[in-house]
């Protein structure tokens, strides 16, 4: 069992353990006697788990409501948000009640925004069911939905009361889903914790991608630790002590989100971020910030995990999508790059010819 504390203005704990969902009643009890209703927002893929959780937590003094939303990024739409509000309204949800997000990163992103926007903010609890959800979306208080213009452009900072990462829920996940989550763990290795990369390289894919492996459990805990420390120092992504701060967590995400958008979210998030990390490594190399060895290490680690490091799409649509990235200031694109391993910085306004050359280096 691993317990990690996220030391923000409203501190909370992240529990990483097989069977962690059994802690839900204890978390609800800790919130006080005025909790009368919980809403479990979940995707179809985890309907059975949601029903079990409902039956586990409900009682004479506690109603438990299920709200099923679409799978993946299709959940993060305005009409789905409105549907969730309608359910809460019909159920009579008050400010003392609790929203639970059960599912992957898209589900917990949506659930957090439902909680942030209902009655100007109610409490919520995350139970991520994927590696990606555990390491990335469930921790940190970023919540939101997508629009036709881009990913996560509408949202709010709203921290959970707890995050329960139940490792048992990883069993049965497709290998492709496990790989996708490993992209965010590898990202944490590049920006802050080289020990993550060393463990991936020494253990190999058979252990890293085994949902019952202690190696995967350790990598998840280390990845969450990086995010917890980063958001504790810069929750609202405004910079921290003159450093890149929380923005470092966007490593690989500028092109990654653009790829997701231009492909209609048919490319998995982790796969897109993997390509995006190779792109910013190429970019950093071309402007003289990193050496050949670190550039090649991006490709070798991500290839070892079975993640893509090449892309065949066109530059112009990708560039247009990157221009509406959240980090853009005015007309100036901003990219998180490395100065060296575990030394992230921001590269603002690179020449378009350097962007194009870095993009073309992704061709197989």
């Amino acid at each position: 069992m691993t317990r990690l504390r996220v030391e923000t203005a409203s501190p909370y704990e992240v529990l990483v353990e097989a069977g962690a969902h059994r802690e839900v009643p204890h978390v609800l009890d800790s919130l006080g006697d005025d909790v009368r209703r919980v809403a479990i927002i979940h995707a179809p893929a985890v309907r059975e788990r949601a029903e079990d959780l409902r039956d586990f937590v409900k009682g004479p003094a506690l109603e438990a409501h299920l709200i099923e939303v679409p799978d993946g990024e299709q959940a993060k739409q305005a009409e789905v948000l409105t549907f969730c509000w309608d359910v809460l309204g019909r159920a009579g949800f008050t400010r003392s009640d609790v929203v639970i997000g059960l599912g992957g990163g898209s589900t917990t992103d949506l659930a957090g925004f439902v909680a942030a926007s209902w009655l100007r903010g109610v409490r919520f609890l995350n139970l991520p069911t994927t590696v990606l959800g555990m390491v990335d979306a469930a921790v940190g208080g970023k919540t939101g939905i997508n629009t036709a213009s881009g990913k996560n452009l509408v949202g709010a900072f709203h921290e959970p009361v707890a995050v329960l990462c139940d490792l048992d829920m990883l069993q049965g996940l497709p290998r492709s889903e496990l790989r996708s989550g490993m992209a965010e763990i590898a990202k944490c290795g590049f920006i802050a914790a080289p020990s993550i990369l060393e463990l991936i390289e020494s253990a190999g894919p058979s252990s890293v991608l085994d949902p019952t492996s202690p190696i995967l459990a350790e990598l998840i805990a280390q990845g969450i630790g990086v995010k917890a420390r980063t958001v504790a120092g810069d929750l609202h992504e405004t910079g921290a002590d003159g450093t890149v701060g929380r923005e470092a967590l966007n490593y690989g995400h500028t092109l990654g989100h653009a790829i997701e958008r231009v492909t209609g979210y048919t490319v998995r998030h982790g796969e897109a971020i993997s390509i995006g990390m190779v792109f910013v490594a190429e970019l950093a190399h071309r402007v003289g910030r990193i050496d050949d060895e670190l550039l090649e290490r991006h490709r070798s680690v991500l290839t070892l995990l079975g993640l893509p490091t090449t892309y065949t799409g066109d530059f112009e649509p990708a560039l247009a999508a990157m221009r509406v990235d959240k980090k853009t200031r005015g007309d100036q694109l901003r990219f998180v790059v490395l100065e060296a391993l575990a030394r992230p910085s921001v590269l603002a306004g690179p020449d378009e010819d350097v962007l194009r050359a870095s993009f073309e280096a992704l061709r197989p």
Side-chain angles (χ1 to χ4, degrees), residues 24 34 65 88 133 136 145 161 224 244 250 312 347 351:
V24 173
D34 56 350
H65 301 264
L88 297 186
D136 184 38
I145 61 171
V161 296
I224 293 172
V244 64
N250 290 311
T312 59
L347 175 63
D351 291 340

Side-chain angles (χ1 to χ4, degrees), residues 308-320:
T309 58
T310 62
Y311 183 60
T312 59
D314 294 329
F315 176 68
E316 297 300 337
L319 179 62

